[in-house]
């Protein structure tokens, strides 16, 4: 049997002859490639985008110019629409970004004309700007309220040893007590003090200032732990006890925790001679439902 090769040559020699089964294998219909095989065999070509780009961001629709999306080179949007990456489209041909689109309009407004969002949306837009890596927008948002004030607040909290750990302890103790008692709320005692050394009225005549030095042996006489659940302090800053209380309540509220507090007195623990601890003690009430 004479077999025609792909090069169009005919040969009747035994070495060149092929069996009928070999010939059938050569002429078998190719199987339909799987998605994985197709992806390996046919790499996607660079994507071409129109000048006016329709977008579907998490189910919300937007339309903008391609140049707007590429305004800043070192952003995720510029990379996505550079043509180097494939972006899927929805059934209407809009380019799909799998992200909540609630604040995407604010992102586009900044890329278009440098507009910044109103104060109540600054924090949320900041998170979106972080996701899309829009450095100029991040810089602008960090320079206005409330983010500018938050930077100052965090600088103060940076002076506070174990601040985040103490917050977690408040939450865990309150949760455990509420579950044990099957109650809507739980109460715990929190000490918040600014000065390293306890100050009493008896000390004032002996010292011209509230900031004074004691020898190491004297300092040890004043070392103690107030009988409370959590203790914050000391710290060195102009911000006082009420400022730290505001931070504690703010950070707990940001986690959806309802908290009330009131001063219930001072530690009043006897230390030595006529010295007593006068660190203020606060009762925190955490309501769970």
């Amino acid at each position: 049997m004479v077999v025609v090769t792909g090069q169009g040559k005919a040969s009747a020699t035994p070495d060149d002859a092929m069996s009928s089964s070999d010939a059938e294998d050569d002429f078998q219909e190719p199987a339909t490639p799987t998605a994985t095989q197709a992806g390996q065999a046919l790499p996607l070509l660079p994507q071409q985008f129109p000048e006016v780009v329709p977008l579907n961001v998490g189910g919300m629709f937007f339309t903008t110019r391609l140049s707007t999306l590429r305004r800043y080179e070192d952003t995720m949007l510029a990379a996505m629409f550079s043509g180097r990456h494939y972006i899927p489209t929805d059934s209407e041909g809009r380019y799909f970004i799998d992200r909540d689109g609630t604040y995407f309009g604010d992102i586009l407004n900044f890329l278009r004309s440098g507009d910044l969002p109103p104060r109540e949306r600054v924090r949320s837009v900041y998170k979106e700007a972080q996701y899309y890596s829009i450095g100029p927008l991040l810089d602008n948002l960090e320079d206005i309220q409330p983010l500018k004030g938050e930077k100052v607040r965090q600088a103060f909290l940076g002076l506070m040893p174990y601040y985040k750990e103490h917050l977690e302890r408040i939450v865990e103790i309150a949760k455990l007590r509420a579950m044990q008692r099957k109650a809507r709320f739980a109460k715990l005692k929190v000490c918040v003090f600014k000065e390293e050394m306890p100050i009493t009225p008896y000390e004032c005549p002996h010292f011209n200032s509230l900031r004074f030095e004691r020898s190491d042996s004297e300092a040890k006489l004043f070392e103690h732990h107030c009988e409370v659940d959590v203790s914050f302090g000391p710290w060195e800053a102009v911000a006082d006890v009420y400022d730290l209380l505001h931070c504690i309540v703010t950070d707990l509220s940001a986690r959806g925790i309802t908290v009330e507090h009131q001063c219930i007195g001072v530690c009043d623990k006897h230390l030595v001679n006529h010295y007593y601890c006068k660190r203020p003690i606060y009762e925190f009430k955490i309501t769970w439902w």
Side-chain angles (χ1 to χ4, degrees):
M1 178 179 178
V2 178
V3 179
V4 179
T5 67
Q7 294 162 338
K9 294 182 181 179
S11 173
T13 62
D15 292 339
D16 293 334
M18 298 176 63
S19 67
S20 60
S21 61
D22 289 336
E24 289 173 1
D25 288 341
D26 280 357
F27 290 96
Q28 281 181 357
E29 191 106 0
T32 302
T34 63
T36 302
Q37 293 171 335
Q40 294 173 346
L42 298 173
L44 296 170
L45 297 175
Q47 201 167 8
Q48 300 295 322
F49 298 102
E51 180 59 29
V52 177
V53 182
L55 299 169
N56 178 345
V57 184
M60 299 183 69
F61 306 140
F62 303 89
T63 303
T64 188
R65 298 188 61 168
L66 181 62
S67 58
T68 299
L69 297 171
R70 295 175 175 176
R71 182 170 301 280
Y72 298 105
E73 294 182 359
D74 298 329
T75 67
M76 181 185 291
L77 289 172
M80 291 172 66
F81 290 90
S82 64
R84 300 189 304 269
H85 307 282
Y86 175 77
I87 302 178
T89 56
D90 64 12
S91 59
E92 300 297 325
R94 292 178 287 251
Y95 295 98
F96 181 72
I97 299 176
D98 193 10
R99 183 76 176 174
D100 186 348
T102 304
Y103 302 101
F104 192 76
D106 294 298
I107 298 292
L108 284 182
N109 286 338
F110 177 79
L111 295 176
R112 288 166 175 154
S113 55
D115 292 343
L116 297 176
R119 177 171 177 168
E120 62 270 16
R121 294 209 298 269
V122 165
R123 293 182 187 273
S124 299
V125 175
Y126 186 82
K127 291 180 180 179
E128 294 304 295
Q130 286 180 312
Y131 176 79
Y132 293 111
S133 300
I134 306 175
L137 177 53
L138 291 171
D139 292 340
N140 276 272
L141 292 177
E142 288 174 357
D143 202 38
I144 62 175
Q145 289 286 52
L147 294 183
K148 192 175 185 66
E150 181 62 18
K151 291 177 70 175
V152 177
R153 191 178 81 98
Q154 290 300 327
F156 161 58
L157 292 178
L159 303 174
M160 197 64 49
Y162 308 111
Y163 175 76
K164 292 183 178 180
E165 290 81 355
H166 291 338
L167 283 184
E168 290 299 327
R169 182 167 174 77
I170 288 175
V171 174
E172 289 302 316
I173 291 175
K175 181 176 70 174
L176 181 61
R177 288 181 181 171
M179 293 180 67
Q180 288 175 338
R181 300 171 184 176
K182 310 299 187 292
R184 287 182 59 231
F185 60 86
K187 294 180 180 180
L188 61 160
K189 293 181 179 180
V190 178
C191 177
V192 182
F193 66 101
K194 180 177 179 179
E195 298 292 337
E196 178 69 51
M197 295 296 181
I199 305 301
T200 73
Y202 301 100
E203 293 177 298
C204 294
H206 301 286
F207 301 96
N208 295 324
S209 168
L210 292 182
R211 301 194 61 81
F212 50 85
E213 298 293 334
R214 290 192 177 102
S215 66
D216 291 341
S217 60
E218 289 176 324
K220 289 181 180 179
L221 296 174
F222 293 87
E223 289 180 357
H224 80 291
H225 297 285
C226 302
E227 296 180 0
V228 295
D229 297 298
V230 183
S231 186
F232 292 84
W235 68 89
E236 293 186 6
V238 174
D240 59 19
V241 168
Y242 299 104
D243 296 320
L244 182 58
L245 286 169
H246 181 272
C247 291
I248 296 171
V249 173
T250 297
D251 290 333
L252 290 175
S253 299
R255 298 172 57 174
I257 297 173
T258 302
V259 54
E260 302 173 26
H261 66 86
Q262 62 176 345
C263 184
I264 58 174
V266 296
C267 175
D268 213 28
K269 182 178 181 179
H270 179 252
L271 302 176
V272 60
N273 297 332
H274 53 271
Y275 293 107
Y276 293 82
C277 175
K278 295 302 178 183
R279 294 170 180 170
I281 307 299
Y282 294 85
E283 182 182 76
F284 273 56
K285 179 181 177 181
I286 307 293
T287 302
W288 291 107
W289 83 85

